[in-house]
Amino acid sequence: QLQLVESGGGLVQAGGSLTLSCAASGSIFSRVAMGWYRQAPGKQRALVASITSGGNTNYADSVKGRFRISRDNTKNLVYLQMNSLKPEDTGVYYCNRWPIQSPGWGQGTQVTVSS
């Protein structure tokens, strides 16, 4: 089982950039796919990006061309580089396995994009 801790969120102006980090503890990390999920105000949590154990990536249409997910299997880390941020990117960002295998979620990290 993985334990996951998100960090790197903050307040940025529209057009700015942030990079989020997810630190994982667990020997299975290098063998499983991971994802970043976002819960925007008043909306359900939804997948925004995923990456397989081999590095293949997929993105929600709303972030294609602006966000990049990556991982470092030697350090048990997964990143989300976010560029050209928009106010609608605001929300709490969580990392977890993809597809979800456990109902447990961490505290996430808040990203706020101002106009």
Side-chain angles (χ1 to χ4, degrees):
Q1 190 178 35
L2 291 173
Q3 291 182 290
L4 304 163
V5 180
E6 304 92 345
S7 63
L11 174 64
V12 297
Q13 287 188 291
S17 299
L18 280 175
T19 298
L20 309 182
S21 298
C22 173
S25 298
S27 61
I28 65 169
F29 175 80
S30 64
R31 308 200 303 267
V32 301
M34 299 291 297
W36 282 97
Y37 302 78
R38 178 173 67 204
Q39 187 162 25
K43 296 184 178 181
Q44 294 183 327
R45 184 157 37 206
L47 182 73
V48 298
S50 64
I51 184 167
T52 68
S53 61
N56 291 331
T57 59
N58 279 287
Y59 300 91
D61 288 342
S62 61
V63 307
K64 284 181 179 177
R66 300 188 298 117
F67 289 13
R68 181 177 180 268
I69 187 171
S70 60
R71 67 192 297 164
D72 185 341
N73 287 341
T74 68
K75 298 180 179 180
N76 279 23
L77 293 173
V78 59
Y79 304 98
L80 185 67
Q81 183 178 330
M82 306 184 294
N83 300 316
S84 302
L85 283 162
K86 303 175 180 180
E88 50 262 45
D89 295 319
T90 293
V92 181
Y93 285 71
Y94 303 85
C95 63
N96 211 327
R97 292 180 65 176
W98 180 84
I100 296 295
Q101 301 293 320
S102 171
W105 297 88
Q107 288 191 299
T109 186
Q110 175 72 44
V111 173
T112 303
V113 185
S114 65
S115 300

